[in-house]
Amino acid sequence: MVRCSEMKLFISEGTAVKTNRLTGHICLLIICGFSSSNRSVSLFSRNMDQRDEKKNQQFSRNMDQRDEKKNQQFSSPVCVHNPHLDALKDDILYHFNLGTGSHNLEAMFGDVKFVCVGGSPWRMKSFIEFIAAELAMEDPKSEYPNICAGTDRYAMYKVGPVLSVSHGMGIPSIAIMLHELIKLLHHAHCTDVTIIRIGTSGGIGLEPGTVVITETSVDATFLPKFEQVILGKTVVRNTDLDQSLAQELLHCSKELNQFETVIGNTMCTLDFYEGQARLDGAFCSYTEADKQEYLIKAREAGVCNIEMESSVFAAMCKLSGLRAAVVCVTLLDRLKGDQLSSSQEVLHSYQLRSQILIGSYIKKQLNAKAEHI
């Protein structure tokens, strides 16, 4: 008896009987003497090897397809919750001067993994120049053109997988921008997107220049909610942010060891003056003692800083499935005053701190991903 890899061969002088261990089928080989049987066995082995190779190739293809499906299942898309969008022939993103009919959004933005938003168009262009250098993607000949050049509402810049967008000042302005940004990312079929708001704020009991990573955005009554009137009814939405992302950013700041960084609640107000208990607006109906009492209560509620966009940012990002964080530097301690007395050079150096932190974080994430490829 002669054995092959997957077959049992029972060889007599004139006949070889083959039994396949996998199928149990029996075949016959007519051979002429032992030398012919060797040739037949060799030919049979080659056929079996070819069959096994085809099986292995098919198995490999099936595994690749299964892994691809798994990756798709674990990837996180950008969600919209509006059935009316399906009826639109062309979704016009008016304030971006973009649209699904006029632009190939997937080709333009499909590779985006990080989105950074901030109030000032100048600040967001500065950020894209900074991140381009940080990622070694800078082009000395490039001016990083504004993708939204056809409109004066917002500015948008892109380098590699990073998108930088301005959002203006206050809840209404950033909300309009986020509606169109979320739709843009959705139409571009982006997945696993991290979005971070970088900006400035007033601190409460913190030294100027401290970077605050928001744990939860609260309203002016220190409650973690965003309220909006829709069709005459008040709709309350959650303002939770991604806590794991906040911790990753804090860890990254500790590694940098360049400036003080804390995690705490951020109070989002509807106004820069009275809404933030300032005494220097055109109108004021309260005293210094009233202001101090209110800010101390805010501090006791875990509020570290005050700004005007975080609540709607947190609410909309949570609805769309975006991993989100708010990172703002404090320009002054509101317990000690209302007006900015630091020089423009000092204030500019403070504003760069959020960029430095986020730039380091993005670089670290991209390097880690490259190591796993």
Side-chain angles (χ1 to χ4, degrees):
M1 182 170 65
V2 179
R3 291 184 180 273
C4 275
S5 59
E6 290 187 355
M7 304 291 292
K8 293 179 180 178
L9 302 180
F10 302 95
I11 302 177
S12 63
E13 184 175 348
T15 305
V17 181
K18 309 183 297 299
T19 304
N20 188 318
R21 290 188 316 205
L22 297 177
T23 64
H25 293 161
I26 297 176
C27 302
L28 297 179
L29 276 178
I30 306 300
I31 59 177
C32 299
F34 190 71
S35 61
S36 297
S37 71
N38 284 340
R39 289 194 297 272
S40 298
V41 170
S42 176
L43 177 61
F44 174 75
S45 297
R46 286 198 297 272
N47 291 338
M48 288 302 298
D49 289 341
Q50 291 173 356
R51 191 198 69 171
D52 291 343
E53 183 179 355
K54 289 181 180 179
K55 281 188 175 182
N56 290 335
Q57 290 174 350
Q58 182 61 45
F59 176 76
S60 180
R61 284 194 295 269
N62 292 340
M63 290 297 292
D64 289 341
Q65 291 172 357
R66 189 190 70 174
D67 290 341
E68 183 178 352
K69 288 180 180 179
K70 279 188 176 181
N71 290 334
Q72 291 173 351
Q73 289 172 355
F74 286 113
S75 65
S76 177
V78 180
C79 302
V80 295
H81 304 280
N82 183 357
H84 304 291
L85 293 178
D86 295 334
L88 294 179
K89 181 180 179 182
D90 179 12
D91 190 3
I92 299 172
L93 310 178
Y94 170 72
H95 300 90
F96 285 164
N97 194 37
L98 298 170
T100 56
S102 56
H103 298 79
N104 186 340
L105 298 181
E106 185 170 6
M108 294 172 67
F109 303 103
D111 63 337
V112 169
K113 295 299 180 183
F114 299 94
V115 181
C116 293
V117 301
S120 163
W122 171 85
R123 188 185 302 155
M124 300 323 293
K125 183 175 183 181
S126 172
F127 175 76
I128 209 68
E129 293 170 346
F130 172 81
I131 198 68
E134 190 75 4
L135 302 179
M137 294 181 177
E138 70 272 26
D139 181 356
K141 298 179 181 179
S142 176
E143 292 295 327
Y144 302 104
N146 178 11
I147 299 172
C148 300
T151 176
D152 60 356
R153 298 295 183 184
Y154 304 106
M156 180 184 295
Y157 306 94
K158 183 179 182 297
V159 61
V162 182
L163 191 65
S164 177
V165 190
S166 70
H167 59 60
M169 188 181 297
I171 287 175
S173 183
I174 191 174
I176 294 169
M177 187 280 293
L178 284 172
H179 272 286
E180 298 189 11
L181 174 64
I182 290 167
K183 291 198 297 177
L184 182 153
L185 297 173
H186 173 76
H187 290 313
H189 301 112
C190 296
T191 59
D192 303 321
V193 176
T194 296
I195 181 169
I196 302 173
R197 166 171 142 67
I198 57 175
T200 58
S201 62
I204 303 180
L206 298 176
E207 286 296 316
T210 302
V211 173
V212 179
I213 302 168
T214 303
E215 180 175 4
T216 302
S217 176
V218 300
D219 64 13
T221 64
F222 320 136
L223 295 177
K225 63 180 181 177
F226 170 66
E227 291 187 350
Q228 183 174 9
V229 178
I230 302 175
L231 299 180
K233 299 178 181 178
T234 300
V235 176
V236 179
R237 287 175 174 159
N238 188 288
T239 56
D240 286 342
L241 290 158
D242 192 296
Q243 297 305 306
S244 63
L245 176 57
Q247 290 296 329
E248 290 171 14
L249 290 167
L250 181 63
H251 180 71
C252 189
S253 181
K254 289 179 178 179
E255 290 181 334
L256 284 171
N257 195 29
Q258 295 183 20
F259 40 78
E260 182 70 19
T261 304
V262 300
I263 289 183
N265 293 342
T266 296
M267 183 166 70
C268 183
T269 67
L270 303 177
D271 168 51
F272 183 79
Y273 287 98
E274 291 176 289
Q276 297 186 12
R278 276 185 158 85
L279 301 173
D280 58 341
F283 310 100
C284 183
S285 59
Y286 43 85
T287 66
E288 169 73 26
D290 295 332
K291 165 197 165 180
Q292 291 293 329
E293 180 183 2
Y294 176 71
L295 293 180
I296 290 172
K297 285 182 179 179
R299 183 65 180 169
E300 291 172 348
V303 175
C304 288
N305 62 333
I306 310 172
E307 48 87 89
M308 297 187 293
E309 292 87 17
S310 61
S311 63
V312 68
F313 174 83
M316 293 182 70
C317 290
K318 187 175 182 66
L319 282 173
S320 61
L322 286 165
R323 196 172 188 232
V326 176
V327 179
C328 291
V329 67
T330 60
L331 300 182
L332 77 167
D333 182 356
R334 287 296 318 287
L335 292 173
K336 297 179 179 179
D338 297 330
Q339 296 197 336
L340 296 172
S341 57
S342 300
S343 67
Q344 286 299 317
E345 290 77 13
V346 170
L347 294 176
H348 177 66
S349 69
Y350 289 165
Q351 293 182 40
L352 290 178
R353 293 182 176 184
S354 298
Q355 294 189 18
I356 292 170
L357 173 55
I358 302 310
S360 177
Y361 174 77
I362 291 175
K363 183 178 180 179
K364 183 178 180 180
Q365 294 299 307
L366 292 177
N367 287 343
K369 184 177 180 180
E371 290 176 359
H372 288 84
I373 294 177

